[in-house]
């Protein structure tokens, strides 16, 4: 995979070591502790995208035996890969561009099925490249020469349209090195706020932590956000963190970009190949790039994840779980990849539509946003209109709101203006207990960070 350096749109200011707000690639979650919650509604999401995406609609009508995917061209027009002249005429009559290719989607999917049935090799990934009509298999630097040779034999047995590529980096989940949401197991970025109609949650990556993980907004353990109540990894890569208060609070529909700036999220959809997208993360900030593949499979050291969005957007450790979006439409949460934001890289995302369907939750957006709280959101390509992919924007600007950094627990407990002298002994005992737990948590965090730093490529 080509490692093209992507332009940095904005760098996120790292959080202070003591306390701090949730920022950079995070839905504004610190407001979960607010006593008042402004009106908010759950937005249904478009799981297929075919109604608003003419290319996908044509693929659905013509069938996978006569087509091989669709994407957005450089001029913003939909392009559909077809296998016969009759299908090409139908595409052109519908106002889209047709590209004749030798292999149908059925053949391409059969190839990926054969790759999945072969013995698993950690450090490999593959996806269908619609634009070149190939299945591209990637192998990172951890794949041995013997495994690489065996993978080449499997590919040769499938056909010449399976393209093999070696990479310099290593495929790893993007976990350690960030502070936006913190547990004794590591650090991640929050993704999007969702609800099941009774309680609100943070949708983030599944590899960030198993069910039962407790998350904080700061490394002092002052601002407890919630607990992971559902986690799936490997196979898929998504999880739900339930807010302690049950409500996401003010700013639930805003993705923070850093510097007090944010983007308002108005709906969710599936992306298209060639679409310009944006990823915000707590380590590397806001970056942009293009979707290069769909339904990708990645063999992480921890296990295999399928059905992912593949992009050339860069990411770094700590960006895991952070949001992928375009034109204010939620697309995915960061799973993992290789490279960094200096040299560029490949990053994979868990589609939000699939995650929300599996978890039976809906996206939280502000009431009345985008023409009605209960109106289904359009797919991202439709939101772009006829503009070329490079003309897309993250979405409408919105301020990041929430609580400000308060006193530390130690300061609150020992403030004689608010705590009577008779309670200082009790306060001292609580301080000792908190200090013991903090030291243990810090030891766990450091051990976790050392492990991921050692495996980071």
């Amino acid at each position: 995979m080509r490692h093209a350096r992507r332009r940095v749109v904005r760098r996120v200011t790292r959080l202070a070591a003591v306390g701090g707000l949730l920022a950079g690639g995070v839905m504004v979650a610190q407001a979960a502790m607010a006593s008042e919650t402004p009106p908010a509604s759950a937005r249904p999401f478009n799981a297929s995208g075919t109604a608003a995406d003419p290319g996908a609609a044509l693929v659905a009508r013509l069938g996978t035996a006569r087509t091989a995917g669709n994407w957005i061209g450089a001029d913003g027009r939909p392009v559909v890969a077809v296998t016969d002249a009759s299908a090409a005429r139908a595409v052109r009559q519908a106002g889209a561009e047709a590209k004749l290719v030798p292999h149908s989607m059925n053949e391409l999917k059969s190839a990926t099925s054969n790759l999945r049935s072969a013995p698993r090799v950690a450090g490999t990934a593959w996806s269908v490249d619609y634009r070149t009509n190939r299945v591209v298999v990637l192998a990172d630097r951890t794949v041995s020469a013997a495994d690489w040779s065996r993978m080449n034999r499997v590919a040769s047995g499938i056909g010449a349209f399976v393209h093999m590529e070696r990479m310099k980096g290593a495929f790893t989940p993007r976990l350690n090195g960030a502070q936006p949401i913190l547990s004794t197991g590591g650090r991640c970025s929050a993704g999007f706020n969702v609800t099941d109609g009774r309680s609100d949650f943070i949708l983030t990556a599944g590899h960030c932590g198993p069910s039962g993980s407790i998350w904080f907004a700061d490394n002092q353990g002052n601002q407890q956000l919630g607990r992971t109540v559902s986690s799936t990894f490997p196979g898929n890569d998504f999880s739900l963190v339930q807010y302690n208060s049950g409500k996401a609070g003010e700013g639930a529909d805003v993705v923070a970009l850093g510097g007090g700036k944010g983007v308002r999220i108005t709906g969710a959809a599936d992306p298209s190949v060639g679409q310009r997208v944006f990823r915000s993360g707590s380590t590397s900030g806001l970056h942009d790039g293009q979707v290069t593949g769909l339904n990708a499979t990645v063999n992480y050291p921890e296990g295999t994840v399928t059905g992912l969005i593949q992009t050339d957007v860069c990411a770094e450790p700590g960006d895991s779980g952070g949001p992928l979006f375009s034109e204010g439409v939620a697309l995915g949460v960061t799973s993992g990849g290789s490279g960094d934001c200096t040299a560029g890289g490949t990053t994979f995302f868990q589609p939000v539509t699939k995650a929300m369907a599996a978890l039976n939750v809906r996206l939280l957006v502000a009431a009345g946003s985008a023409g009605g709280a209960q109106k289904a959101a359009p797919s991202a390509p439709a939101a772009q209109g006829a503009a070329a992919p490079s003309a897309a924007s993250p979405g409408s600007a919105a301020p990041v709101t929430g609580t400000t950094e308060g006193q530390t627990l130690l300061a609150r407990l020992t403030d004689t203006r608010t705590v009577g002298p008779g309670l200082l002994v009790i306060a001292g005992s609580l301080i000792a207990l908190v200090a013991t737990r903090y030291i243990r948590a810090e030891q766990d965090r450091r051990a976790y960070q050392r492990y991921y730093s050692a495996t980071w490529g």
Side-chain angles (χ1 to χ4, degrees), residues 248-446:
E250 184 180 3
D253 62 329
V254 176
V255 166
L257 306 178
K261 299 182 184 301
V263 167
R264 195 171 303 282
I265 299 299
T266 60
D270 294 320
S272 296
V273 173
Q275 179 181 347
R276 188 188 182 200
V277 291
F278 300 83
R279 177 205 56 76
S280 188
S282 57
T283 298
S284 59
L286 181 67
H287 291 264
D288 69 323
Q290 284 194 353
V291 175
T292 58
L294 301 174
N295 199 30
T297 296
V298 184
N299 293 304
Y300 295 124
E302 298 83 356
T304 300
V305 181
T306 62
L308 298 177
I309 303 164
Q310 181 174 326
T311 74
D312 61 6
V313 187
C314 70
E316 296 181 359
D319 290 331
S320 274
L324 178 76
F325 52 95
S326 183
E327 300 289 350
V329 176
L331 302 174
V333 293
T334 307
S335 175
S338 66
D340 55 40
C341 290
T342 299
T346 298
T347 306
F348 300 93
F349 299 84
Q350 168 70 53
V352 294
T353 54
K354 181 180 178 182
M356 290 193 293
L359 296 166
N360 196 27
V361 294
R362 296 168 292 172
L363 195 69
L364 276 171
V365 296
S369 174
Q374 297 303 320
K375 182 180 179 181
S379 69
Q384 293 174 14
S390 60
S393 68
S396 61
V400 173
T401 59
T403 59
T404 58
E405 182 178 353
Q407 291 178 295
T408 65
L409 180 60
L410 176 64
R412 293 198 302 269
L413 288 175
T414 58
D415 188 348
T416 56
R417 293 172 299 175
T418 57
V419 180
L423 296 178
L424 289 178
V425 174
I426 298 175
S429 299
L430 289 173
I431 292 167
L433 176 61
V434 171
T436 300
R437 294 183 63 186
Y438 174 74
I439 291 171
R440 177 62 184 273
E442 186 63 23
Q443 289 173 340
D444 291 344
R445 284 193 294 271
R446 288 177 179 174

Side-chain angles (χ1 to χ4, degrees), residues 17 22 36 66-67 89 154 175 211 226 259 262 334 387 409 440 447 456:
L22 293 185
E36 293 186 17
R66 303 178 67 197
T67 63
R89 284 194 298 271
V154 172
L175 187 56
S211 292
T334 307
L409 180 60
R440 177 62 184 273
W456 174 249

Side-chain angles (χ1 to χ4, degrees), residues 98-109:
K99 180 179 180 181
L100 279 169
V101 295
H103 305 289
S104 69
M105 183 57 73
N106 287 348
E107 293 177 81
L108 298 174
K109 286 186 175 180

Side-chain angles (χ1 to χ4, degrees), residues 30-397:
Q30 70 272 25
M33 284 72 75
S35 58
E36 293 186 17
T37 303
S41 301
R43 175 65 55 86
F45 57 90
N46 180 0
S48 66
T50 55
D53 184 348
L58 284 166
V59 168
R61 177 159 65 88
L62 294 171
T64 54
R66 303 178 67 197
T67 63
N70 65 287
W71 61 94
I72 300 172
D75 58 357
R77 291 180 61 203
V79 183
V80 180
V82 295
T83 58
D84 61 69
S86 175
R89 284 194 298 271
V91 168
R92 295 188 187 102
Q93 288 171 0
E97 181 181 345
K99 180 179 180 181
L100 279 169
V101 295
H103 305 289
S104 69
M105 183 57 73
N106 287 348
E107 293 177 81
L108 298 174
K109 286 186 175 180
S110 176
T112 60
S113 178
N114 288 334
L115 289 168
R116 280 195 300 271
S117 63
R120 178 181 179 275
V121 177
T124 59
W126 54 80
S127 65
V128 175
D129 187 337
Y130 298 164
R131 289 175 286 194
T132 63
N133 197 227
R134 300 186 301 186
V135 174
V136 178
V137 180
L138 305 176
D140 69 20
R141 60 174 174 79
T142 67
V143 176
S144 67
D147 283 339
W148 178 242
S149 178
R150 181 164 57 82
M151 289 288 290
N152 270 285
R153 288 196 296 272
V154 172
S156 297
I158 297 172
F161 60 92
V162 179
H163 177 70
M164 306 290 289
E165 257 184 63
R166 292 222 64 151
M167 305 181 64
K168 293 181 180 179
F171 291 126
T172 58
R174 307 303 212 199
L175 187 56
N176 63 297
Q179 300 180 21
I181 56 174
L182 176 70
S183 76
T184 57
R187 299 170 176 131
C188 268
S189 299
F192 301 98
N193 281 315
V194 296
T195 185
D196 63 2
R198 300 179 301 275
S199 184
D200 296 346
F201 310 84
I202 299 171
L203 176 64
T204 188
H207 71 262
C208 287
S211 292
S213 299
I214 298 175
W215 293 95
F216 299 88
D218 68 315
N219 63 4
Q220 304 299 109
N222 293 343
Q223 303 176 42
Q224 184 173 331
L225 293 175
R227 180 189 300 267
T228 300
V229 294
S230 179
S231 180
T232 303
F233 178 81
N236 295 302
D237 195 359
F238 52 76
S239 65
L240 285 179
V241 176
Q242 185 175 23
Y243 284 105
N244 283 342
S245 66
K247 294 298 179 181
E250 184 180 3
D253 62 329
V254 176
V255 166
L257 306 178
K261 299 182 184 301
V263 167
R264 195 171 303 282
I265 299 299
T266 60
D270 294 320
S272 296
V273 173
Q275 179 181 347
R276 188 188 182 200
V277 291
F278 300 83
R279 177 205 56 76
S280 188
S282 57
T283 298
S284 59
L286 181 67
H287 291 264
D288 69 323
Q290 284 194 353
V291 175
T292 58
L294 301 174
N295 199 30
T297 296
V298 184
N299 293 304
Y300 295 124
E302 298 83 356
T304 300
V305 181
T306 62
L308 298 177
I309 303 164
Q310 181 174 326
T311 74
D312 61 6
V313 187
C314 70
E316 296 181 359
D319 290 331
S320 274
L324 178 76
F325 52 95
S326 183
E327 300 289 350
V329 176
L331 302 174
V333 293
T334 307
S335 175
S338 66
D340 55 40
C341 290
T342 299
T346 298
T347 306
F348 300 93
F349 299 84
Q350 168 70 53
V352 294
T353 54
K354 181 180 178 182
M356 290 193 293
L359 296 166
N360 196 27
V361 294
R362 296 168 292 172
L363 195 69
L364 276 171
V365 296
S369 174
Q374 297 303 320
K375 182 180 179 181
S379 69
Q384 293 174 14
S390 60
S393 68
S396 61

